[in-house]
Amino acid sequence: MVIYISNDEMEKCKKIVVVGSTNVDLIARVSHLPEPGETIGDAEYCLSYGGKGANQAIAAARSGGHVSFISCLGDDAYADTLITSFVDSGIDVDYIQKCVRHSTGIAFIFVAENGENCIAVAPGANNLLRGERMDTILPVIKEADALVLQLEIPYESVISLIEYAHTVDTKIILNPAPAKQIPSYILEKVDILILNETEAMLIAGQSLDFSEPIGIARSLLRRVGQVVILTLGEKGSVIVSDEMEKQIPSYVVNTVDTTGAGDTFCGAFVAQWVEGVDLQDCVQFATAAAALSVTRIGAQVSIPYQKEVIEFMR
Ligand code: ATP
């Protein structure tokens, strides 16, 4: 579904820039994980599109956000298909770069009947989002109201984008996934930190007791700009800011696949927050969007549109 809006309306929209990864997941369903040297001849193949950056950009756009996605793709057959799918979700793709003689990021995934998996990721063009390529995107970030980042592109690029966005007063939303430690002088420049339990432990630098999630979010808030949102899977999430502390339960749904729930949550949240919606209402909306996503198989295909989320919340 593509939503067309006039130039006047476009001017009034708050602008979200997502800088991050794009991946293609090549999945083989197998009876068992192959031993070294073994060939399994009857695997079932399927392909899905992912990457935390792409997932969050799609979630924000489908939730009504005006989103520019900045990502590096290869010059392979996947790139055009991916760009078409971003456009179909309503994303501005002007700043996506196709990198000559490089491949799009690929995740090779084996999933066994017993649920075990093993994964090899070839980041390909995702690793090229650095150096001079970064200089060309700074004006877009300066014009934006919100910058959304994760950690699937070069770490030093994320750090320098946070430092730059802070100097030009663009609000920074960081989802520190996959989990890595972030130095304190960078964390304090982040306006909103959205993280899950694993990421919280890495950032806190110690094991944590999640029976007191508000206390954990409160202690993280001492190191972050404005807001910490700690997501707790099917247990929901907690929001902590200087003004509020609140636990938001998840919706009880028929869960079939939780892949991308966190990304759906982040993107849906930002689309609301950038428009000035009350913090708790943003998290409620994100919780509903994420709940809908877990009722469907796949990552990007499972991300709902704003209309579906509103109907679900009625
Ligand atoms: P993932 O890595 O699977 O994308 P994550 O670990 O980053 O997710 P979670 O904390 O697992 O993030 O989930 C994010 C949000 O999605 C939760 O706060 C919750 O609102 C919603 N959610 C996750 N799992 C479920 C579930 N089984 N039922 C309903 N809502 C869920």
Side-chain angles (χ1 to χ4, degrees):
M1 181 173 64
V2 182
I3 300 160
Y4 295 98
I5 50 178
S6 69
N7 286 344
D8 279 358
E9 284 173 319
M10 197 79 114
E11 283 300 309
K12 284 186 226 135
C13 287
K14 299 289 184 191
K15 294 186 177 66
I16 301 167
V17 173
V18 180
V19 184
S21 59
T22 302
N23 281 328
V24 176
D25 296 342
L26 303 180
I27 304 160
R29 294 189 189 283
V30 287
S31 53
H32 60 278
L33 297 182
E35 299 292 331
E38 181 184 0
T39 299
I40 295 179
D42 59 354
E44 273 177 42
Y45 164 74
C46 81
L47 174 148
S48 76
Y49 298 123
K52 288 183 176 297
N55 294 348
Q56 292 183 18
I58 288 175
R62 290 188 187 169
S63 288
H66 176 45
V67 179
S68 293
F69 182 39
I70 297 176
S71 192
C72 284
L73 310 184
D75 64 350
D76 47 29
Y78 296 122
D80 291 331
T81 311
L82 284 160
I83 290 171
T84 303
S85 83
F86 297 148
V87 171
D88 287 348
S89 289
I91 293 173
D92 167 15
V93 295
D94 284 358
Y95 307 100
I96 289 184
Q97 306 186 29
K98 282 168 82 176
C99 305
V100 178
R101 290 188 300 279
H102 288 274
S103 73
T104 299
I106 306 277
F108 301 91
I109 305 172
F110 287 88
V111 184
E113 269 168 15
N114 66 2
E116 280 183 327
N117 65 42
C118 63
I119 302 174
V121 176
N126 289 313
N127 270 351
L128 301 179
L129 201 42
R130 52 158 43 114
E132 282 175 14
R133 288 182 197 279
M134 300 280 287
D135 299 341
T136 61
I137 66 175
L138 298 184
V140 192
I141 289 167
K142 189 175 180 187
E143 290 301 308
D145 297 284
L147 169 66
V148 181
L149 294 163
Q150 321 74 31
L151 302 177
E152 278 187 344
I153 57 169
Y155 182 71
E156 65 276 15
S157 300
V158 176
I159 300 295
S160 66
L161 286 173
I162 291 173
E163 294 197 285
Y164 177 75
H166 186 68
T167 61
V168 295
D169 214 18
T170 298
K171 297 293 180 204
I172 303 161
I173 295 92
L174 176 66
N175 172 225
K180 276 195 191 78
Q181 281 192 332
I182 313 277
S184 291
Y185 79 96
I186 291 297
L187 267 187
E188 69 193 23
K189 294 181 173 138
V190 170
D191 295 282
I192 302 190
L193 186 69
I194 305 178
L195 73 182
N196 69 13
E197 291 154 293
T198 314
E199 292 141 17
M201 283 206 266
L202 236 120
I203 287 191
Q206 61 188 78
S207 67
L208 300 167
D209 173 8
F210 286 95
S211 60
E212 281 288 340
I214 288 196
I216 293 168
R218 200 187 297 133
S219 68
L220 288 168
L221 185 67
R222 287 190 212 113
R223 300 170 59 196
V224 173
Q226 286 184 40
V227 179
V228 171
I229 300 171
L230 176 60
T231 66
L232 306 159
E234 64 184 355
K235 297 191 290 302
S237 61
V238 298
I239 324 164
V240 174
S241 73
D242 285 342
E243 285 83 39
M244 68 177 295
E245 292 186 353
K246 186 90 192 168
Q247 183 141 13
I248 307 283
S250 67
Y251 289 85
V252 178
V253 289
N254 179 24
T255 303
V256 296
D257 180 5
T258 60
T259 313
D263 294 335
T264 302
F265 184 99
C266 290
F269 169 85
V270 172
Q272 298 293 308
W273 182 77
V274 79
E275 294 297 338
V277 175
D278 171 76
L279 190 57
Q280 188 177 332
D281 292 341
C282 295
V283 173
Q284 198 63 58
F285 181 90
T287 302
L292 271 177
S293 80
V294 306
T295 64
R296 305 163 181 174
I297 292 174
Q300 290 177 6
V301 289
S302 75
I303 299 171
Y305 284 83
Q306 184 178 32
K307 193 165 166 270
E308 298 172 86
V309 180
I310 291 168
E311 272 166 22
F312 175 76
M313 290 173 78
R314 278 203 185 117

